[in-house]
Amino acid sequence: MVKKTIHEINSKIRDGSVNVVTAEEMVHIVGELGAEEAAKEVDVVTTGTFGAMCSSGVWLNFGHSEPPIKMQKVFLNDVEAYTGVAAVDAFIGATQISETLGMDYGGAHVIEDLIRGKSVHLHAMSHGTDCYPRKVLDTTLSLDDMNQAIMMNPRNAYQKYNAATNSTRSTIHTYMGSLLPSFGNVTYSGAGVLSPLSNDPDYMTIGTGTRIFLGGAEGYIVGQGTQHSSGGGFGTLMVQGDLKKMSTDYIRAANFTGYGTSLYVGMGVPIPILNEQIAQATAVSDAGVTTKILDYGIPSRDRPAIRDVTYEELRSGFVDINGKEVPTSSLSSFKKSRIIANELKDWIARGEFFVSMPVERLPKDVSAKPMKQTEGIAIVSDIMAVSVVTINKDASVYDAAKIIQDTSFNHLPVLNDDKTLAGIITAWDIAKAVSLNKFDMVADIMTRKVITANADEQVAVVARRLDLNEVSAMPVINKDKHVIGMITSDDISKLYARRS
Amino acid sequence: MNLKIKISISSDILTKPIMAEAILETGVMLNISQAHFDRSHGEVVADVESGKFDVMCKALTNKGAVVTKLDVPIRWDENECVECSACVSVCPTKVFSLAEDFSLDVDDTKCIQCGTCVDMCPHNALSLGNNK
Ligand code: SF4
Ligand code: SF4
């Protein structure tokens, strides 16, 4: 049995005799020597990760103006920061987007600009009080002008992360990047062999108070992150550090097309090797970290899992899905993760960084609950119209016009002879046909690419499809492509009007 | 050596077979990698042998097309790039790959300027050279 204390390891760091290796190097050391010998040899294992961590932000204290103001609303370069605390503090979140530039610039960019030494424009508003009379404030501030700039990330360093693919027939844009149609690619995140929590999955040394590498500076683990779900291997960390000491080598703003902004955060956690169990845990390899490939084409909380996969397979560049070789992309940088693990190793070896024991361990075997919804989820069949007037594709445009006139339905699904959906025709199509003097068959003027819905889909999902395709109604079809109803933007507005 | 060119076709000549005519007339082959047409104009990206560029360009220009050389395929800003490799899986012609040490390799000669990677890159490190 090997038994070392934090105190012993820190004295070795102080006198320069510490043996520190990265989590990648540790795989081979334990492989060669076994866990017990490795635990004797190695004092600290360093980990590293560099990826998109949306749940990030910075607490800023601006100091008081003359006359003073109690900031009710604050904008930094047009990005709103949260101010519901004291008078001149605000939290700028990475994913908040600019009021004027939209998704091209967000909280993450404000944070990166501040680290780069750029000045940001501060605009604040208030209702004015006897003690804080000022109502509006505009000024320009750089990081040096602020009292504190404390990075505080509620949920970082996921132990591992689900990989993403897309079964649908069109490209989708997600926080996992662009996912090509028909399982065209797989994206994943996380550092596998170097991932901090995967190297200490039982949280023997990682917990509240653990000193870490954060954004190029020393930082600390505050405790479990929000949505910490250690039971399923999805633990998370809440971390904090001093933004003023950080570097843009390790903190970088990002944009995901169609999703918005996010912050790439570099983090490294040292794991003191106190005994052979800890040594064994840090010997985890890419092959030993398994995750699931989920179908992000299904816009639901419970995305179907396509298959299990290891980080080794993901890292190889291809994974097999239904017999097809699908290319993979990492969204986090393994090269940077390595640089971080090595940088932390250097700090420790040079006697500049000391390891710590947590004052409180992270909770184990807890799971994150889904949201409790009291409002009952509306599905298409709840609100669709079931009496649908249709028309055959061989009918004349005149017939279609007459039906629309008689029934006051604006959209007519057009059917093939076997009653399956062939297209859709609207009053507008008819008006156009008339103006072009085209009085032929419905089939000639109908829209063939019909946007449809299924009866068991959620209304919120269908509403977004209506929006994206700029249509105002969709036929609801069953799996045989028979039209069983219609859902219109009117039905949807009525549903939401009823609720509010 | 092949040269990548963009042929822009305005609406008035959209229905004429000007590409076919130019190919027949000059005997120069075009390898078309992309074509986009809508009501108002058409755009074709193609490879042509560099020695034959001038004659092809003249034939197309005479028929009313506008020809641009696409000599800067994809622009990669190494300072913005964090080498995440998100661009690797979406590129249809495998312009991007990761080296042994997980550095990004960019072989821009293979680029057909489809623009997919530009949307994918989270750090705005990629942009199309002279296609836009
Ligand atoms: S996606 Fe962008 S940041 Fe990532 S490796 Fe490619 S060019 Fe670099
Ligand atoms: S523009 Fe298209 S072909 Fe060129 S590098 Fe990007 S994805 Fe590849």
Side-chain angles (χ1 to χ4, degrees):
Chain A
M1 266 293 279
V2 183
K3 211 166 158 21
K4 280 188 268 185
T5 65
I6 289 288
H7 189 72
E8 282 161 28
I9 293 178
N10 278 337
S11 345
K12 286 174 134 190
I13 295 177
R14 204 166 290 118
D15 69 23
S17 66
V18 68
N19 184 16
V20 39
V21 303
T22 70
E24 246 184 314
E25 293 163 337
M26 190 63 167
V27 179
H28 307 288
I29 297 175
V30 174
E32 272 168 34
L33 305 180
E36 188 172 348
E37 283 304 308
K40 281 186 205 154
E41 284 279 313
V42 177
D43 302 310
V44 186
V45 167
T46 60
T47 62
T49 182
F50 181 85
M53 307 198 194
C54 286
S55 182
S56 295
V58 180
W59 279 108
L60 299 168
N61 180 281
F62 304 116
H64 280 291
S65 61
E66 180 58 31
I69 182 170
K70 176 182 165 219
M71 295 176 169
Q72 225 78 59
K73 287 229 176 244
V74 161
F75 299 86
L76 294 165
N77 284 354
D78 265 342
V79 179
E80 185 164 15
Y82 181 74
T83 53
V85 282
V88 287
D89 292 301
F91 182 77
I92 178 96
T95 65
Q96 187 74 276
I97 58 176
S98 155
E99 303 280 311
T100 41
L101 299 176
M103 289 191 190
D104 289 340
Y105 189 90
H109 297 82
V110 174
I111 294 168
E112 182 178 325
D113 281 348
L114 283 172
I115 302 177
R116 284 193 191 282
K118 293 190 191 166
S119 293
V120 299
H121 176 247
L122 166 78
H123 173 66
M125 288 177 286
S126 170
H127 48 60
T129 70
D130 289 343
C131 44
Y132 293 114
R134 190 175 197 130
K135 289 192 165 181
V136 185
L137 177 91
D138 280 278
T139 186
T140 307
L141 296 174
S142 71
L143 205 47
D144 288 340
D145 301 320
M146 314 214 187
N147 288 316
Q148 281 81 21
I150 301 170
M151 177 167 274
M152 174 88 217
N153 305 349
R155 179 169 68 253
N156 275 186
Y158 260 96
Q159 197 157 340
K160 61 187 185 188
Y161 211 84
N162 289 316
T165 190
N166 167 24
S167 65
T168 69
R169 278 186 295 171
S170 33
T171 298
I172 57 171
H173 298 284
T174 71
Y175 64 85
M176 293 297 286
S178 311
L179 298 170
L180 304 177
S182 317
F183 304 113
N185 64 337
V186 167
T187 60
Y188 67 101
S189 193
V193 60
L194 283 173
S195 155
L197 288 178
S198 292
N199 277 280
D200 183 8
D202 292 322
Y203 315 137
M204 291 182 280
T205 71
I206 296 180
T208 300
T210 302
R211 188 180 293 120
I212 60 169
F213 173 110
L214 184 63
E218 255 183 34
Y220 294 90
I221 293 173
V222 175
Q224 60 172 316
T226 57
Q227 232 165 282
H228 177 71
S229 202
S230 44
F234 287 87
T236 69
L237 297 176
M238 190 179 289
V239 297
Q240 76 151 69
D242 186 351
L243 192 78
K244 292 189 177 202
K245 298 190 179 132
M246 292 186 189
S247 143
T248 49
D249 288 345
Y250 306 108
I251 300 287
R252 293 290 289 277
N255 293 62
F256 288 92
T257 302
Y259 168 75
T261 63
S262 184
L263 194 68
Y264 273 60
V265 175
M267 189 187 310
V269 178
I271 300 175
I273 305 299
L274 304 173
N275 54 47
E276 52 257 50
Q277 279 138 278
I278 300 176
Q280 188 59 56
T282 56
V284 70
S285 66
D286 277 342
V289 187
T290 308
T291 187
K292 287 186 186 330
I293 302 178
L294 300 188
D295 182 2
Y296 275 61
I298 310 294
S300 158
R301 182 178 64 214
D302 300 310
R303 299 189 175 98
I306 305 295
R307 55 163 287 195
D308 286 347
V309 68
T310 66
Y311 273 80
E312 184 178 42
E313 288 172 273
L314 289 168
R315 194 99 63 210
S316 75
F318 288 93
V319 293
D320 185 289
I321 294 183
N322 306 327
K324 198 174 112 191
E325 281 215 320
V326 178
T328 57
S329 263
S330 168
L331 297 172
S332 45
S333 172
F334 192 70
K335 190 177 171 193
K336 284 248 180 202
S337 306
R338 245 190 202 166
I339 291 174
I340 290 165
N342 277 302
E343 171 114 24
L344 182 54
K345 173 177 153 175
D346 286 350
W347 288 1
I348 296 170
R350 286 202 305 261
E352 293 165 4
F353 184 104
F354 293 89
V355 291
S356 58
M357 248 342 238
V359 292
E360 199 78 66
R361 305 265 296 263
L362 298 181
K364 272 175 60 179
D365 295 320
V366 294
S367 54
K369 296 193 292 265
M371 181 184 283
K372 172 184 170 194
Q373 278 161 289
T374 53
E375 278 270 309
I377 302 164
I379 59 173
V380 169
S381 59
D382 296 340
I383 64 164
M384 70 183 187
V386 283
S387 60
V388 188
V389 180
T390 58
I391 191 164
N392 186 278
K393 67 178 177 14
D394 298 328
S396 69
V397 173
Y398 174 81
D399 290 337
K402 189 144 180 9
I403 294 179
I404 287 181
Q405 180 69 35
D406 292 350
T407 60
S408 71
F409 282 116
N410 246 324
H411 299 78
L412 292 185
V414 181
L415 304 186
N416 293 310
D417 293 335
D418 63 358
K419 299 273 186 258
T420 57
L421 184 66
I424 193 161
I425 182 170
T426 65
W428 174 247
D429 295 325
I430 294 172
K432 237 174 20 192
V434 170
S435 73
L436 294 171
N437 245 330
K438 246 166 100 178
F439 285 101
D440 320 352
M441 285 182 315
V442 165
D444 299 328
I445 65 161
M446 70 186 182
T447 303
R448 285 167 194 277
K449 196 167 171 267
V450 195
I451 313 297
T452 61
N454 297 327
D456 56 2
E457 281 187 290
Q458 289 181 24
V459 173
V461 173
V462 167
R464 182 168 154 78
R465 190 176 311 139
L466 275 176
D467 256 6
L468 284 178
N469 291 288
E470 293 174 351
V471 294
S472 54
M474 290 191 285
V476 182
I477 56 170
N478 63 16
K479 61 178 184 325
D480 302 323
K481 285 190 87 181
H482 290 156
V483 178
I484 55 169
M486 273 305 261
I487 182 164
T488 67
S489 47
D490 273 358
D491 301 333
I492 296 172
S493 328
K494 269 185 228 141
L495 172 77
Y496 289 127
R498 218 167 47 230
R499 283 187 174 176
S500 55
Chain B
M1 258 292 280
N2 273 350
L3 200 69
K4 204 163 283 296
I5 57 171
K6 182 175 77 179
I7 306 160
S8 305
I9 303 160
S10 58
S11 59
D12 45 327
I13 52 167
L14 210 52
T15 50
K16 304 204 179 100
I18 65 160
M19 302 241 304
E21 281 173 19
I23 292 170
L24 285 177
E25 190 180 301
T26 57
V28 175
M29 309 279 254
L30 280 181
N31 188 11
I32 295 172
S33 51
Q34 272 192 73
H36 301 288
F37 286 90
D38 59 32
R39 260 170 211 282
S40 59
H41 82 303
E43 226 175 72
V44 170
V45 175
D47 285 301
V48 63
E49 227 180 284
S50 5
K52 311 256 171 77
F53 169 76
D54 285 340
V55 36
M56 181 45 110
C57 177
K58 204 162 155 226
L60 285 165
T61 314
N62 282 342
K63 297 185 198 331
V66 178
V67 179
T68 347
K69 278 191 200 172
L70 300 179
D71 40 10
V72 186
I74 185 81
R75 259 186 241 270
W76 174 45
D77 182 345
E78 287 186 57
N79 289 325
E80 290 296 332
C81 178
V82 300
E83 298 175 283
C84 62
S85 85
C87 47
V88 172
S89 73
V90 292
C91 175
T93 57
K94 301 200 173 69
V95 167
F96 308 101
S97 58
L98 280 185
E100 277 283 291
D101 70 346
F102 295 94
S103 300
L104 188 72
D105 279 341
V106 182
D107 178 1
D108 58 9
T109 57
K110 293 187 198 156
C111 175
I112 56 164
Q113 309 216 345
C114 68
T116 318
C117 62
V118 176
D119 264 2
M120 181 60 151
C121 174
H123 297 274
N124 296 337
L126 298 170
S127 54
L128 285 179
N130 36 20
N131 202 15
K132 275 207 175 140

